[in-house]
Amino acid sequence: MREKRFYINTIGCQMNVHDSERISALMQRCGYRQIPFPEGADLIFLNTCAIREKAEQKVFSFLGRLAALKKRNPDLIIAACGCVAQQEADRIFERTAHVDLVLGTHSYGRLPKIIEEIHRNRRRIVDVDVGESIEEIRTFFSQKTADKAPGVSRFVTIMQGCDNFCAYCVVPFVRGRERSRDPEEIISEIQDLVAAGVREVTLLGQNVNSYGKKEGISSFSELLARINTIEGLERIRFTTSHPKDLSDDLVAAFGRLDKLCRHIHLPVQSGSDRVLSRMHRRYTRAHYIDRVKALRLVCPDISITTDFIVGFPGESEDDFQETLSMMAVVEFDSLFAFKYSDRKGTRAAGLMEKVPESIKTERVKTLFKFQRDVTLKKYRALVGTFQEVLVDGLSKKTQKQTDSSGPEGIQWTGRTLGNKIVNFRVKGGSPFQDVVYPGALVRVHIKQAFANSLVGEAPECRPGRFEEIRRKHSCCIK
Ligand code: SAH
Ligand code: SF4
Ligand code: F3S
């Protein structure tokens, strides 16, 4: 019998990306092989996102496109999983008749049983049950995703769900209540990843600051301190932090833990106290600014990025001006901004005073224009400095080149501690050339700044640093 093949397409945040990695590991354990395109697959997964209407539209348009494949191969199994699946359950069948399987965000541990059931008795299945047995949670989380092509940087889920119920947000409805993973399991997962060659981990949770609080297991800063001691691990990142829970302890960790990257993503959403209160964010503009000051006191070059929502119901022109003035006060390194989108079941969906689409569009444009100059200023400030870069691999430019032996040579890409992308070359003829590879830490002299990236040059052989890298990566250097 021909080996069964599956394809997985992921929409949404890192949570979904990470879930997809585990689904993929589980499927391989069930004897399936992953392929990089939907054509020729026996089973297609779409991991869905419900955060804004646009994401949901993307889901239904992809599912719609699969109708042709199903027509050609009626045995093809199409599975919708993730956040839209959790929320819409069997309503998905009404919108797209050719979907066979709907799997919510708590169902993945039951996937081996569900696949078996499909093979035995071909029928449509909807599983959006939020109750998981400890066994099912383990089945899912114990999937080793490090086996193949571990890469330089990986995500590690430390908690699931969210209890905050911000007025605009669908996440608590589709991801359920907040639950923290056992610290021992997290540590052991990271150790396995590091043993497989991973150099950086990003700890994932909707609100990492409240890690372990409910369970009374360990605080987030305690967890960070333990992870910081894992030998071979170079860098730790985390996302996302809620400003109301950003404790002094965590702020202090940026000064204390050498592997903790100097970057925090701290979504603010609005600069207006009136809007923040209507959003149910439970902090004020002054509190946020105070946290930024505390972070910069401990770590002056910390990079601070954020999310804004424009056009939240009732947001006036004055409120929006407060957002712009907040941006001027804080000077974020970079940011995401989204036009408010009504989500079913959320409190904000029931609020009156909806802001017209044209005003949202105008405000988001103004906001990005304002930020462009700030971002560029931040990037330009790094020109002339030396930055420690964790090398991801070859730059896009070099990947496209067919011949890299020219005078330009190879260009590498990586990230600074502050999470800024750096493309760099090694100074011609330098023995340093030998120590650049994915996973290496290289000190790069920054020469140029663009809107979203930096360009630099790795200096000629620097014996001290060379030796340090050689020691750290003796396993990888020939
Ligand atoms: N847990 C994280 C982020 C979750 S969603 C946090 O609390 O920050 C990522 C971002 O999407 C949010 O920060 C918010 O800016 C945006 N977002 C969430 N719901 C939205 C909605 N209904 N409309 C527009 N943007 C939204
Ligand atoms: Fe959504 Fe708020 Fe939870 Fe973030 S903290 S996931 S914005 S409810
Ligand atoms: Fe989207 Fe679900 Fe993440 S709604 S943003 S994929 S938690």
Side-chain angles (χ1 to χ4, degrees), residues 306-361:
T306 201
D307 294 343
F308 277 105
I309 295 178
V310 298
F312 184 78
E315 183 190 71
S316 66
E317 188 51 39
D318 283 353
D319 291 321
F320 179 62
Q321 289 304 322
E322 291 272 286
T323 286
L324 294 180
S325 89
M326 177 93 174
M327 288 164 64
V329 171
V330 175
E331 296 203 316
F332 295 100
D333 285 74
S334 65
L335 53 80
F336 295 103
F338 308 102
K339 291 193 264 182
Y340 167 77
S341 164
D342 255 346
R343 299 285 73 202
K344 210 167 33 190
T346 62
R347 238 184 297 171
L351 290 178
M352 308 302 274
E353 309 171 71
K354 293 274 152 54
V355 174
E357 197 56 31
S358 59
I359 295 187
K360 286 193 239 175
T361 306

Short mmCIF file of all heavy atoms in Angstrom, two decimals, residues 306-361:
data_model
loop_
_atom_site.label_atom_id
_atom_site.label_comp_id
_atom_site.label_asym_id
_atom_site.label_seq_id
_atom_site.Cartn_x
_atom_site.Cartn_y
_atom_site.Cartn_z
N THR A 306 5.32 46.69 20.19
CA THR A 306 3.96 46.68 20.73
C THR A 306 2.91 46.41 19.67
O THR A 306 3.24 46.30 18.48
CB THR A 306 3.68 48.03 21.43
OG1 THR A 306 2.61 47.89 22.34
CG2 THR A 306 3.35 49.14 20.44
N ASP A 307 1.66 46.28 20.12
CA ASP A 307 0.50 46.18 19.22
C ASP A 307 -0.45 47.33 19.56
O ASP A 307 -0.62 47.66 20.74
CB ASP A 307 -0.31 44.90 19.49
CG ASP A 307 0.42 43.62 19.15
OD1 ASP A 307 1.43 43.68 18.42
OD2 ASP A 307 -0.03 42.55 19.61
N PHE A 308 -1.06 47.90 18.53
CA PHE A 308 -2.13 48.88 18.73
C PHE A 308 -3.36 48.41 17.97
O PHE A 308 -3.25 47.79 16.92
CB PHE A 308 -1.74 50.25 18.14
CG PHE A 308 -0.88 51.09 19.05
CD1 PHE A 308 0.47 51.23 18.78
CD2 PHE A 308 -1.43 51.75 20.13
CE1 PHE A 308 1.28 52.01 19.61
CE2 PHE A 308 -0.64 52.54 20.95
CZ PHE A 308 0.73 52.68 20.69
N ILE A 309 -4.52 48.75 18.52
CA ILE A 309 -5.77 48.57 17.77
C ILE A 309 -6.31 49.97 17.50
O ILE A 309 -6.39 50.77 18.44
CB ILE A 309 -6.80 47.76 18.58
CG1 ILE A 309 -6.30 46.33 18.81
CG2 ILE A 309 -8.15 47.74 17.89
CD1 ILE A 309 -7.22 45.46 19.66
N VAL A 310 -6.63 50.28 16.26
CA VAL A 310 -7.25 51.58 16.00
C VAL A 310 -8.72 51.37 15.66
O VAL A 310 -9.11 50.33 15.12
CB VAL A 310 -6.56 52.37 14.85
CG1 VAL A 310 -5.14 52.68 15.17
CG2 VAL A 310 -6.67 51.62 13.53
N GLY A 311 -9.53 52.37 16.05
CA GLY A 311 -10.96 52.31 15.73
C GLY A 311 -11.73 51.38 16.62
O GLY A 311 -12.77 50.83 16.20
N PHE A 312 -11.27 51.19 17.87
CA PHE A 312 -12.08 50.44 18.83
C PHE A 312 -13.40 51.21 19.00
O PHE A 312 -13.41 52.44 18.95
CB PHE A 312 -11.32 50.35 20.17
CG PHE A 312 -12.03 49.52 21.20
CD1 PHE A 312 -11.97 48.14 21.13
CD2 PHE A 312 -12.78 50.11 22.21
CE1 PHE A 312 -12.64 47.36 22.07
CE2 PHE A 312 -13.45 49.34 23.16
CZ PHE A 312 -13.37 47.96 23.08
N PRO A 313 -14.54 50.51 19.20
CA PRO A 313 -15.82 51.23 19.29
C PRO A 313 -15.73 52.42 20.27
O PRO A 313 -15.28 52.25 21.41
CB PRO A 313 -16.79 50.16 19.81
CG PRO A 313 -16.22 48.89 19.30
CD PRO A 313 -14.72 49.07 19.30
N GLY A 314 -16.14 53.57 19.78
CA GLY A 314 -16.15 54.77 20.62
C GLY A 314 -14.84 55.54 20.61
O GLY A 314 -14.73 56.59 21.24
N GLU A 315 -13.82 55.04 19.88
CA GLU A 315 -12.53 55.77 19.86
C GLU A 315 -12.74 57.10 19.12
O GLU A 315 -13.06 57.13 17.94
CB GLU A 315 -11.45 54.94 19.14
CG GLU A 315 -10.08 55.62 19.15
CD GLU A 315 -9.06 54.91 18.24
OE1 GLU A 315 -9.23 55.00 17.00
OE2 GLU A 315 -8.14 54.28 18.76
N SER A 316 -12.51 58.21 19.84
CA SER A 316 -12.70 59.54 19.23
C SER A 316 -11.38 60.01 18.63
O SER A 316 -10.34 59.39 18.84
CB SER A 316 -13.15 60.53 20.31
OG SER A 316 -12.08 60.69 21.24
N GLU A 317 -11.45 61.13 17.93
CA GLU A 317 -10.23 61.70 17.36
C GLU A 317 -9.25 62.03 18.49
O GLU A 317 -8.04 61.79 18.37
CB GLU A 317 -10.60 62.95 16.53
CG GLU A 317 -9.46 63.55 15.72
CD GLU A 317 -8.69 62.56 14.85
OE1 GLU A 317 -9.31 61.67 14.25
OE2 GLU A 317 -7.44 62.68 14.77
N ASP A 318 -9.78 62.54 19.62
CA ASP A 318 -8.91 62.86 20.76
C ASP A 318 -8.23 61.60 21.31
O ASP A 318 -7.05 61.62 21.65
CB ASP A 318 -9.72 63.51 21.89
CG ASP A 318 -10.03 64.96 21.59
OD1 ASP A 318 -9.51 65.48 20.57
OD2 ASP A 318 -10.83 65.56 22.34
N ASP A 319 -9.00 60.52 21.38
CA ASP A 319 -8.42 59.26 21.85
C ASP A 319 -7.27 58.84 20.93
O ASP A 319 -6.21 58.41 21.39
CB ASP A 319 -9.46 58.13 21.86
CG ASP A 319 -10.53 58.33 22.92
OD1 ASP A 319 -10.18 58.79 24.02
OD2 ASP A 319 -11.70 58.03 22.63
N PHE A 320 -7.51 58.98 19.65
CA PHE A 320 -6.48 58.59 18.68
C PHE A 320 -5.23 59.47 18.83
O PHE A 320 -4.10 58.99 18.75
CB PHE A 320 -7.03 58.62 17.25
CG PHE A 320 -6.00 58.23 16.23
CD1 PHE A 320 -5.42 56.96 16.25
CD2 PHE A 320 -5.57 59.13 15.26
CE1 PHE A 320 -4.43 56.60 15.33
CE2 PHE A 320 -4.59 58.78 14.34
CZ PHE A 320 -4.01 57.51 14.37
N GLN A 321 -5.45 60.75 19.08
CA GLN A 321 -4.30 61.65 19.30
C GLN A 321 -3.49 61.20 20.52
O GLN A 321 -2.28 61.32 20.56
CB GLN A 321 -4.77 63.11 19.47
CG GLN A 321 -5.28 63.75 18.17
CD GLN A 321 -4.27 63.70 17.02
OE1 GLN A 321 -3.07 63.85 17.23
NE2 GLN A 321 -4.76 63.43 15.81
N GLU A 322 -4.19 60.68 21.52
CA GLU A 322 -3.51 60.15 22.72
C GLU A 322 -2.62 58.97 22.35
O GLU A 322 -1.54 58.78 22.89
CB GLU A 322 -4.55 59.67 23.74
CG GLU A 322 -5.36 60.75 24.37
CD GLU A 322 -4.66 61.29 25.61
OE1 GLU A 322 -4.67 60.60 26.63
OE2 GLU A 322 -4.09 62.39 25.52
N THR A 323 -3.10 58.15 21.41
CA THR A 323 -2.30 57.02 20.93
C THR A 323 -1.03 57.54 20.26
O THR A 323 0.08 57.06 20.55
CB THR A 323 -3.14 56.14 19.97
OG1 THR A 323 -4.06 55.40 20.76
CG2 THR A 323 -2.30 55.19 19.15
N LEU A 324 -1.18 58.56 19.42
CA LEU A 324 0.00 59.10 18.74
C LEU A 324 0.96 59.71 19.76
O LEU A 324 2.19 59.55 19.65
CB LEU A 324 -0.40 60.15 17.69
CG LEU A 324 -1.21 59.64 16.49
CD1 LEU A 324 -1.54 60.78 15.55
CD2 LEU A 324 -0.45 58.55 15.73
N SER A 325 0.42 60.39 20.77
CA SER A 325 1.31 61.03 21.74
C SER A 325 2.02 59.96 22.59
O SER A 325 3.18 60.12 22.97
CB SER A 325 0.57 62.06 22.59
OG SER A 325 0.02 61.46 23.73
N MET A 326 1.33 58.86 22.83
CA MET A 326 1.95 57.73 23.55
C MET A 326 3.14 57.20 22.72
O MET A 326 4.21 56.88 23.26
CB MET A 326 0.90 56.62 23.69
CG MET A 326 1.40 55.38 24.33
SD MET A 326 1.05 55.53 26.06
CE MET A 326 1.52 53.95 26.65
N MET A 327 2.94 57.11 21.42
CA MET A 327 4.01 56.62 20.55
C MET A 327 5.21 57.56 20.60
O MET A 327 6.36 57.13 20.56
CB MET A 327 3.51 56.50 19.10
CG MET A 327 2.56 55.34 18.90
SD MET A 327 1.63 55.46 17.36
CE MET A 327 2.95 55.35 16.16
N ALA A 328 4.91 58.86 20.69
CA ALA A 328 6.00 59.85 20.75
C ALA A 328 6.74 59.73 22.07
O ALA A 328 7.96 59.86 22.14
CB ALA A 328 5.44 61.25 20.57
N VAL A 329 6.02 59.48 23.16
CA VAL A 329 6.64 59.38 24.48
C VAL A 329 7.52 58.13 24.58
O VAL A 329 8.66 58.18 25.02
CB VAL A 329 5.56 59.36 25.59
CG1 VAL A 329 6.16 59.04 26.95
CG2 VAL A 329 4.82 60.69 25.65
N VAL A 330 6.96 56.98 24.14
CA VAL A 330 7.67 55.71 24.34
C VAL A 330 8.75 55.48 23.28
O VAL A 330 9.82 54.97 23.59
CB VAL A 330 6.67 54.52 24.38
CG1 VAL A 330 7.41 53.20 24.47
CG2 VAL A 330 5.70 54.67 25.53
N GLU A 331 8.49 55.88 22.07
CA GLU A 331 9.38 55.58 20.93
C GLU A 331 9.63 54.07 20.83
O GLU A 331 10.70 53.57 21.19
CB GLU A 331 10.70 56.33 21.04
CG GLU A 331 10.54 57.84 20.96
CD GLU A 331 11.81 58.53 20.52
OE1 GLU A 331 12.88 58.16 21.03
OE2 GLU A 331 11.73 59.42 19.66
N PHE A 332 8.63 53.37 20.35
CA PHE A 332 8.75 51.91 20.18
C PHE A 332 9.75 51.60 19.07
O PHE A 332 9.87 52.36 18.11
CB PHE A 332 7.39 51.32 19.79
CG PHE A 332 6.35 51.47 20.87
CD1 PHE A 332 5.39 52.46 20.81
CD2 PHE A 332 6.36 50.61 21.96
CE1 PHE A 332 4.44 52.61 21.81
CE2 PHE A 332 5.40 50.74 22.97
CZ PHE A 332 4.45 51.75 22.89
N ASP A 333 10.42 50.47 19.21
CA ASP A 333 11.36 50.06 18.15
C ASP A 333 10.61 49.69 16.88
O ASP A 333 11.06 50.00 15.78
CB ASP A 333 12.21 48.88 18.63
CG ASP A 333 13.25 49.36 19.62
OD1 ASP A 333 12.86 49.65 20.77
OD2 ASP A 333 14.43 49.50 19.23
N SER A 334 9.49 49.00 17.05
CA SER A 334 8.60 48.75 15.92
C SER A 334 7.27 48.30 16.50
O SER A 334 7.16 48.06 17.71
CB SER A 334 9.17 47.69 14.98
OG SER A 334 9.26 46.46 15.63
N LEU A 335 6.27 48.21 15.66
CA LEU A 335 4.95 47.86 16.18
C LEU A 335 4.06 47.23 15.11
O LEU A 335 4.33 47.34 13.92
CB LEU A 335 4.25 49.08 16.78
CG LEU A 335 4.11 50.35 15.93
CD1 LEU A 335 2.94 50.25 14.96
CD2 LEU A 335 3.88 51.54 16.86
N PHE A 336 3.02 46.57 15.60
CA PHE A 336 1.93 46.11 14.74
C PHE A 336 0.73 46.98 15.06
O PHE A 336 0.54 47.34 16.23
CB PHE A 336 1.55 44.65 15.04
CG PHE A 336 2.64 43.67 14.74
CD1 PHE A 336 3.39 43.12 15.77
CD2 PHE A 336 2.89 43.28 13.44
CE1 PHE A 336 4.39 42.20 15.51
CE2 PHE A 336 3.90 42.36 13.16
CZ PHE A 336 4.65 41.82 14.19
N ALA A 337 -0.07 47.31 14.06
CA ALA A 337 -1.31 48.04 14.32
C ALA A 337 -2.41 47.39 13.51
O ALA A 337 -2.21 47.03 12.35
CB ALA A 337 -1.16 49.50 13.95
N PHE A 338 -3.55 47.22 14.15
CA PHE A 338 -4.66 46.52 13.50
C PHE A 338 -5.91 47.40 13.55
O PHE A 338 -6.15 48.07 14.55
CB PHE A 338 -4.96 45.21 14.23
CG PHE A 338 -3.75 44.34 14.42
CD1 PHE A 338 -3.10 44.28 15.64
CD2 PHE A 338 -3.26 43.59 13.36
CE1 PHE A 338 -1.98 43.48 15.81
CE2 PHE A 338 -2.15 42.79 13.52
CZ PHE A 338 -1.50 42.73 14.75
N LYS A 339 -6.71 47.30 12.49
CA LYS A 339 -8.00 47.97 12.53
C LYS A 339 -8.92 47.09 13.37
O LYS A 339 -8.95 45.86 13.16
CB LYS A 339 -8.57 48.10 11.11
CG LYS A 339 -7.79 49.07 10.27
CD LYS A 339 -8.55 49.41 9.01
CE LYS A 339 -8.11 48.58 7.85
NZ LYS A 339 -8.80 48.92 6.60
N TYR A 340 -9.66 47.69 14.29
CA TYR A 340 -10.56 46.91 15.13
C TYR A 340 -11.50 46.07 14.27
O TYR A 340 -12.04 46.56 13.28
CB TYR A 340 -11.37 47.83 16.07
CG TYR A 340 -12.51 47.08 16.71
CD1 TYR A 340 -12.27 46.21 17.78
CD2 TYR A 340 -13.80 47.17 16.19
CE1 TYR A 340 -13.31 45.47 18.32
CE2 TYR A 340 -14.84 46.43 16.73
CZ TYR A 340 -14.58 45.58 17.80
OH TYR A 340 -15.61 44.84 18.32
N SER A 341 -11.70 44.84 14.67
CA SER A 341 -12.58 43.94 13.92
C SER A 341 -13.54 43.28 14.92
O SER A 341 -13.11 42.72 15.93
CB SER A 341 -11.68 42.92 13.22
OG SER A 341 -12.38 41.81 12.78
N ASP A 342 -14.84 43.38 14.63
CA ASP A 342 -15.85 42.77 15.51
C ASP A 342 -15.70 41.26 15.57
O ASP A 342 -15.65 40.62 14.52
CB ASP A 342 -17.25 43.06 14.92
CG ASP A 342 -17.97 44.14 15.69
OD1 ASP A 342 -17.53 44.49 16.79
OD2 ASP A 342 -18.99 44.63 15.16
N ARG A 343 -15.65 40.69 16.75
CA ARG A 343 -15.56 39.24 16.89
C ARG A 343 -16.77 38.72 17.66
O ARG A 343 -17.08 39.24 18.73
CB ARG A 343 -14.28 38.83 17.63
CG ARG A 343 -12.99 39.24 16.96
CD ARG A 343 -12.63 38.40 15.76
NE ARG A 343 -13.45 38.65 14.59
CZ ARG A 343 -13.62 37.79 13.60
NH1 ARG A 343 -13.04 36.62 13.64
NH2 ARG A 343 -14.37 38.08 12.57
N LYS A 344 -17.38 37.70 17.10
CA LYS A 344 -18.57 37.12 17.70
C LYS A 344 -18.35 36.72 19.16
O LYS A 344 -17.32 36.13 19.47
CB LYS A 344 -18.93 35.87 16.89
CG LYS A 344 -20.38 35.59 16.86
CD LYS A 344 -20.82 34.57 15.86
CE LYS A 344 -19.87 33.44 15.53
NZ LYS A 344 -20.23 32.62 14.42
N GLY A 345 -19.29 37.07 20.02
CA GLY A 345 -19.21 36.62 21.40
C GLY A 345 -18.43 37.55 22.31
O GLY A 345 -18.49 37.42 23.53
N THR A 346 -17.66 38.49 21.75
CA THR A 346 -16.87 39.38 22.60
C THR A 346 -17.74 40.55 23.07
O THR A 346 -18.74 40.88 22.45
CB THR A 346 -15.65 39.95 21.85
OG1 THR A 346 -16.13 40.72 20.74
CG2 THR A 346 -14.75 38.84 21.35
N ARG A 347 -17.27 41.18 24.16
CA ARG A 347 -18.04 42.30 24.71
C ARG A 347 -18.09 43.48 23.74
O ARG A 347 -19.09 44.16 23.60
CB ARG A 347 -17.40 42.75 26.03
CG ARG A 347 -18.40 42.65 27.15
CD ARG A 347 -17.85 43.17 28.42
NE ARG A 347 -16.71 42.37 28.88
CZ ARG A 347 -15.95 42.74 29.89
NH1 ARG A 347 -16.16 43.87 30.52
NH2 ARG A 347 -14.95 41.97 30.28
N ALA A 348 -16.96 43.71 23.07
CA ALA A 348 -16.89 44.88 22.18
C ALA A 348 -17.84 44.75 21.00
O ALA A 348 -18.30 45.76 20.46
CB ALA A 348 -15.46 45.08 21.70
N ALA A 349 -18.15 43.51 20.63
CA ALA A 349 -19.05 43.31 19.48
C ALA A 349 -20.42 43.92 19.80
O ALA A 349 -21.12 44.38 18.90
CB ALA A 349 -19.18 41.83 19.16
N GLY A 350 -20.77 43.96 21.08
CA GLY A 350 -22.07 44.50 21.48
C GLY A 350 -22.03 46.00 21.74
O GLY A 350 -23.06 46.59 22.07
N LEU A 351 -20.87 46.63 21.66
CA LEU A 351 -20.77 48.06 21.94
C LEU A 351 -21.29 48.87 20.75
O LEU A 351 -21.11 48.50 19.60
CB LEU A 351 -19.32 48.47 22.21
CG LEU A 351 -18.67 48.01 23.51
CD1 LEU A 351 -17.22 48.47 23.57
CD2 LEU A 351 -19.44 48.54 24.72
N MET A 352 -21.93 50.00 21.08
CA MET A 352 -22.42 50.90 20.02
C MET A 352 -21.22 51.75 19.57
O MET A 352 -20.10 51.46 19.92
CB MET A 352 -23.53 51.80 20.56
CG MET A 352 -24.64 51.03 21.26
SD MET A 352 -25.41 49.80 20.19
CE MET A 352 -26.62 50.84 19.39
N GLU A 353 -21.48 52.78 18.87
CA GLU A 353 -20.48 53.75 18.40
C GLU A 353 -19.35 53.11 17.61
O GLU A 353 -18.17 53.35 17.88
CB GLU A 353 -19.83 54.50 19.57
CG GLU A 353 -20.76 55.13 20.58
CD GLU A 353 -19.97 55.62 21.77
OE1 GLU A 353 -19.24 56.62 21.63
OE2 GLU A 353 -20.07 54.98 22.84
N LYS A 354 -19.71 52.25 16.67
CA LYS A 354 -18.68 51.62 15.83
C LYS A 354 -18.03 52.70 14.97
O LYS A 354 -18.70 53.60 14.46
CB LYS A 354 -19.29 50.53 14.94
CG LYS A 354 -19.82 49.33 15.74
CD LYS A 354 -18.76 48.31 16.02
CE LYS A 354 -18.93 47.48 17.27
NZ LYS A 354 -20.15 46.76 17.50
N VAL A 355 -16.70 52.61 14.82
CA VAL A 355 -15.97 53.60 14.03
C VAL A 355 -16.03 53.19 12.56
O VAL A 355 -15.77 52.02 12.24
CB VAL A 355 -14.50 53.68 14.52
CG1 VAL A 355 -13.67 54.59 13.63
CG2 VAL A 355 -14.45 54.12 15.97
N PRO A 356 -16.40 54.11 11.66
CA PRO A 356 -16.49 53.73 10.24
C PRO A 356 -15.15 53.23 9.69
O PRO A 356 -14.09 53.69 10.10
CB PRO A 356 -16.90 55.03 9.54
CG PRO A 356 -17.38 55.94 10.61
CD PRO A 356 -16.74 55.51 11.89
N GLU A 357 -15.26 52.30 8.74
CA GLU A 357 -14.08 51.67 8.14
C GLU A 357 -13.11 52.72 7.57
O GLU A 357 -11.89 52.61 7.74
CB GLU A 357 -14.57 50.72 7.02
CG GLU A 357 -13.59 49.70 6.55
CD GLU A 357 -13.04 48.78 7.63
OE1 GLU A 357 -13.75 48.49 8.63
OE2 GLU A 357 -11.86 48.37 7.49
N SER A 358 -13.68 53.76 6.91
CA SER A 358 -12.81 54.77 6.28
C SER A 358 -11.96 55.48 7.33
O SER A 358 -10.78 55.78 7.10
CB SER A 358 -13.65 55.76 5.49
OG SER A 358 -14.56 56.37 6.39
N ILE A 359 -12.51 55.73 8.50
CA ILE A 359 -11.74 56.41 9.56
C ILE A 359 -10.67 55.48 10.12
O ILE A 359 -9.54 55.88 10.36
CB ILE A 359 -12.69 56.93 10.68
CG1 ILE A 359 -13.58 58.00 10.07
CG2 ILE A 359 -11.91 57.45 11.89
CD1 ILE A 359 -14.47 58.74 11.04
N LYS A 360 -11.03 54.19 10.28
CA LYS A 360 -10.03 53.22 10.76
C LYS A 360 -8.85 53.19 9.79
O LYS A 360 -7.69 53.19 10.21
CB LYS A 360 -10.65 51.82 10.84
CG LYS A 360 -11.59 51.61 12.00
CD LYS A 360 -11.87 50.12 12.15
CE LYS A 360 -13.33 49.83 12.03
NZ LYS A 360 -13.68 48.43 12.05
N THR A 361 -9.16 53.14 8.49
CA THR A 361 -8.11 53.08 7.48
C THR A 361 -7.21 54.31 7.57
O THR A 361 -5.98 54.20 7.55
CB THR A 361 -8.73 52.97 6.07
OG1 THR A 361 -9.61 51.87 6.09
CG2 THR A 361 -7.69 52.79 4.99
#
